[in-house]
Amino acid sequence: IPRAVELKARRVGGTTLFEILGMARAMTIKNFSCALIAQNDPEAGHFMKMWKTLYDNMIPEARLPDGRVFTARPPVDEFSDHMIRFPSLDSRLVIGSAGSMKFGRGRGFDMIIGTEVSKWDVGRPAGTAQEVWLMAEGALNPGGFGVLESTAFGAGGYFYEVYQEAKAGSNGWKAVF
Protein backbone atom coordinates (compact mmCIF):
# COMPACT_ATOMS: atom_id res chain seq x y z
CA ILE A 1 0.00 0.00 0.00
CA PRO A 2 1.55 3.34 -0.98
CA ARG A 3 1.71 5.51 2.11
CA ALA A 4 2.90 9.06 2.76
CA VAL A 5 3.27 10.97 6.01
CA GLU A 6 3.44 14.75 5.68
CA LEU A 7 4.67 17.16 8.33
CA LYS A 8 3.24 20.44 7.12
CA ALA A 9 3.06 24.10 7.93
CA ARG A 10 -0.28 25.59 8.89
CA ARG A 11 -2.41 27.19 6.18
CA VAL A 12 -0.37 26.26 3.11
CA GLY A 13 -3.02 24.05 1.48
CA GLY A 14 -1.70 20.56 2.21
CA THR A 15 -5.09 19.11 3.16
CA THR A 16 -6.80 21.01 0.34
CA LEU A 17 -4.42 19.45 -2.17
CA PHE A 18 -5.33 15.94 -0.99
CA GLU A 19 -9.05 16.84 -0.95
CA ILE A 20 -8.81 18.06 -4.56
CA LEU A 21 -6.98 14.88 -5.58
CA GLY A 22 -9.63 12.71 -3.90
CA MET A 23 -12.50 14.67 -5.44
CA ALA A 24 -10.97 14.68 -8.93
CA ARG A 25 -10.59 10.92 -8.79
CA ALA A 26 -14.10 10.35 -7.39
CA MET A 27 -15.53 12.50 -10.19
CA THR A 28 -13.69 10.62 -12.95
CA ILE A 29 -12.99 7.03 -11.86
CA LYS A 30 -15.72 4.40 -11.54
CA ASN A 31 -16.14 2.87 -8.07
CA PHE A 32 -13.57 5.21 -6.50
CA SER A 33 -13.96 5.84 -2.77
CA CYS A 34 -12.05 8.45 -0.83
CA ALA A 35 -12.29 8.98 2.93
CA LEU A 36 -11.03 11.84 5.03
CA ILE A 37 -10.57 11.38 8.77
CA ALA A 38 -10.45 14.65 10.70
CA GLN A 39 -9.41 15.18 14.31
CA ASN A 40 -12.98 15.87 15.49
CA ASP A 41 -16.54 16.34 14.26
CA PRO A 42 -16.40 20.16 13.81
CA GLU A 43 -13.29 19.79 11.64
CA ALA A 44 -14.96 16.97 9.70
CA GLY A 45 -17.83 19.37 8.98
CA HIS A 46 -15.35 22.00 7.80
CA PHE A 47 -13.71 19.56 5.37
CA MET A 48 -17.09 18.40 4.02
CA LYS A 49 -18.02 22.03 3.43
CA MET A 50 -14.74 22.42 1.54
CA TRP A 51 -15.58 19.39 -0.63
CA LYS A 52 -19.02 20.85 -1.34
CA THR A 53 -17.43 24.17 -2.30
CA LEU A 54 -14.93 22.42 -4.55
CA TYR A 55 -17.76 20.51 -6.24
CA ASP A 56 -19.73 23.70 -6.84
CA ASN A 57 -16.74 25.73 -8.04
CA MET A 58 -13.94 23.44 -9.24
CA ILE A 59 -15.37 22.78 -12.68
CA PRO A 60 -17.28 25.76 -14.03
CA GLU A 61 -20.36 25.45 -16.15
CA ALA A 62 -20.31 26.85 -19.68
CA ARG A 63 -23.17 28.35 -21.65
CA LEU A 64 -23.20 26.89 -25.16
CA PRO A 65 -24.03 29.07 -28.21
CA ASP A 66 -27.53 27.56 -28.36
CA GLY A 67 -28.18 28.62 -24.74
CA ARG A 68 -27.82 25.19 -23.11
CA VAL A 69 -25.59 24.92 -20.06
CA PHE A 70 -22.79 22.35 -20.14
CA THR A 71 -21.08 21.01 -17.02
CA ALA A 72 -18.49 18.29 -16.72
CA ARG A 73 -19.44 17.66 -13.09
CA PRO A 74 -21.07 14.29 -12.55
CA PRO A 75 -24.47 14.43 -10.86
CA VAL A 76 -24.73 13.84 -7.12
CA ASP A 77 -27.48 11.80 -5.47
CA GLU A 78 -26.29 12.11 -1.87
CA PHE A 79 -24.90 15.34 -0.48
CA SER A 80 -25.02 14.78 3.28
CA ASP A 81 -22.83 15.92 6.18
CA HIS A 82 -20.85 12.68 5.82
CA MET A 83 -20.94 11.66 2.15
CA ILE A 84 -21.02 12.90 -1.42
CA ARG A 85 -22.00 10.16 -3.85
CA PHE A 86 -21.72 10.22 -7.64
CA PRO A 87 -24.26 7.60 -8.81
CA SER A 88 -23.23 7.51 -12.47
CA LEU A 89 -19.74 6.39 -11.35
CA ASP A 90 -20.76 4.69 -8.11
CA SER A 91 -17.98 6.74 -6.49
CA ARG A 92 -18.05 8.55 -3.16
CA LEU A 93 -16.31 10.92 -0.81
CA VAL A 94 -16.76 10.14 2.89
CA ILE A 95 -15.92 12.20 5.98
CA GLY A 96 -15.38 10.89 9.49
CA SER A 97 -13.47 11.80 12.60
CA ALA A 98 -10.93 10.15 14.88
CA GLY A 99 -13.68 10.11 17.51
CA SER A 100 -15.72 7.68 15.40
CA MET A 101 -14.11 4.35 16.17
CA LYS A 102 -16.45 2.59 13.72
CA PHE A 103 -15.25 4.71 10.80
CA GLY A 104 -14.45 2.63 7.75
CA ARG A 105 -15.88 -0.68 8.96
CA GLY A 106 -17.59 -2.58 6.17
CA ARG A 107 -16.30 -0.23 3.47
CA GLY A 108 -13.34 -0.28 1.17
CA PHE A 109 -11.50 2.88 0.17
CA ASP A 110 -9.07 3.66 -2.62
CA MET A 111 -7.70 6.70 -0.80
CA ILE A 112 -7.71 7.65 2.88
CA ILE A 113 -6.58 11.04 4.11
CA GLY A 114 -5.84 11.35 7.82
CA THR A 115 -5.60 15.03 8.71
CA GLU A 116 -4.13 16.62 11.86
CA VAL A 117 -3.21 13.13 13.04
CA SER A 118 -0.93 14.51 15.77
CA LYS A 119 -4.10 15.73 17.52
CA TRP A 120 -6.19 12.55 17.23
CA ASP A 121 -5.28 11.53 20.80
CA VAL A 122 -6.22 14.93 22.31
CA GLY A 123 -9.08 14.37 24.75
CA ARG A 124 -9.09 10.65 24.00
CA PRO A 125 -7.25 7.66 25.45
CA ALA A 126 -3.58 7.35 24.51
CA GLY A 127 -3.20 5.15 21.45
CA THR A 128 -6.43 6.34 19.80
CA ALA A 129 -4.54 7.74 16.80
CA GLN A 130 -2.79 4.45 16.11
CA GLU A 131 -5.98 2.44 16.62
CA VAL A 132 -8.01 4.68 14.30
CA TRP A 133 -5.35 4.58 11.57
CA LEU A 134 -4.89 0.81 11.77
CA MET A 135 -8.66 0.39 11.41
CA ALA A 136 -8.75 2.82 8.48
CA GLU A 137 -5.72 1.25 6.82
CA GLY A 138 -7.48 -2.11 7.01
CA ALA A 139 -10.24 -0.59 4.88
CA LEU A 140 -7.83 0.41 2.09
CA ASN A 141 -8.42 -1.53 -1.10
CA PRO A 142 -5.43 -3.30 -2.67
CA GLY A 143 -3.37 -0.62 -4.40
CA GLY A 144 -5.04 2.13 -2.34
CA PHE A 145 -3.23 5.24 -1.13
CA GLY A 146 -3.03 6.29 2.50
CA VAL A 147 -1.73 9.61 3.74
CA LEU A 148 -1.26 10.93 7.26
CA GLU A 149 -0.66 14.64 7.51
CA SER A 150 -0.39 17.08 10.36
CA THR A 151 1.17 20.20 11.71
CA ALA A 152 3.70 19.61 14.47
CA PHE A 153 2.24 19.00 17.95
CA GLY A 154 5.17 18.01 20.14
CA ALA A 155 7.84 15.33 20.07
CA GLY A 156 5.71 12.30 20.81
CA GLY A 157 2.65 10.35 19.77
CA TYR A 158 1.70 8.18 16.83
CA PHE A 159 2.14 10.79 14.09
CA TYR A 160 5.55 11.83 15.41
CA GLU A 161 6.72 8.22 15.56
CA VAL A 162 5.50 7.35 12.06
CA TYR A 163 7.09 10.50 10.62
CA GLN A 164 10.44 9.91 12.36
CA GLU A 165 10.53 6.28 11.20
CA ALA A 166 9.65 7.37 7.65
CA LYS A 167 12.50 9.91 7.69
CA ALA A 168 14.83 7.10 8.77
CA GLY A 169 13.45 4.87 6.00
CA SER A 170 12.48 2.12 8.43
CA ASN A 171 8.70 1.78 8.07
CA GLY A 172 7.79 1.84 4.35
CA TRP A 173 6.20 5.29 4.53
CA LYS A 174 7.36 8.23 2.39
CA ALA A 175 8.19 11.24 4.59
CA VAL A 176 7.19 14.62 3.15
CA PHE A 177 8.06 17.95 4.74
Side-chain angles (χ1 to χ4, degrees), residues 6-10 116 118-119 149-153 159:
E6 178 192 19
L7 178 59
K8 63 181 187 150
R10 190 168 297 287
E116 290 303 337
S118 66
K119 297 176 183 164
E149 50 101 326
S150 192
T151 52
F153 193 65
F159 179 82

Side-chain angles (χ1 to χ4, degrees), residues 124-137:
R124 298 184 183 99
T128 296
Q130 182 175 7
E131 185 177 343
V132 169
W133 180 252
L134 290 175
M135 188 180 338
E137 191 173 47

Side-chain angles (χ1 to χ4, degrees), residues 64-163:
L64 301 174
D66 64 4
R68 291 180 296 139
V69 175
F70 171 79
T71 182
R73 290 182 293 209
V76 170
D77 72 347
E78 182 173 344
F79 225 133
S80 71
D81 290 341
H82 302 283
M83 184 185 301
I84 300 173
R85 192 172 106 71
F86 305 100
S88 61
L89 297 165
D90 197 24
S91 295
R92 66 182 185 254
L93 302 166
V94 179
I95 294 278
S97 74
S100 174
M101 299 302 289
K102 295 179 182 175
F103 182 78
R105 290 189 182 161
R107 295 182 185 205
F109 296 101
D110 300 293
M111 180 177 181
I112 299 179
I113 306 160
T115 185
E116 290 303 337
V117 177
S118 66
K119 297 176 183 164
W120 284 5
D121 284 337
V122 174
R124 298 184 183 99
T128 296
Q130 182 175 7
E131 185 177 343
V132 169
W133 180 252
L134 290 175
M135 188 180 338
E137 191 173 47
L140 268 172
N141 292 329
F145 174 67
V147 61
L148 299 177
E149 50 101 326
S150 192
T151 52
F153 193 65
Y158 181 66
F159 179 82
Y160 177 84
E161 292 167 10
V162 171
Y163 184 79

Side-chain angles (χ1 to χ4, degrees), residues 30-92:
K30 282 186 85 54
N31 302 311
F32 187 86
S33 295
C34 177
L36 185 143
I37 306 170
Q39 70 198 52
N40 56 41
D41 290 336
E43 287 297 309
H46 165 77
F47 289 116
M48 179 53 80
K49 183 177 178 183
M50 189 181 302
W51 258 338
K52 288 178 179 179
T53 300
L54 287 169
Y55 177 79
D56 289 338
N57 299 299
M58 190 164 77
I59 301 173
E61 296 178 333
R63 187 160 302 281
L64 301 174
D66 64 4
R68 291 180 296 139
V69 175
F70 171 79
T71 182
R73 290 182 293 209
V76 170
D77 72 347
E78 182 173 344
F79 225 133
S80 71
D81 290 341
H82 302 283
M83 184 185 301
I84 300 173
R85 192 172 106 71
F86 305 100
S88 61
L89 297 165
D90 197 24
S91 295
R92 66 182 185 254

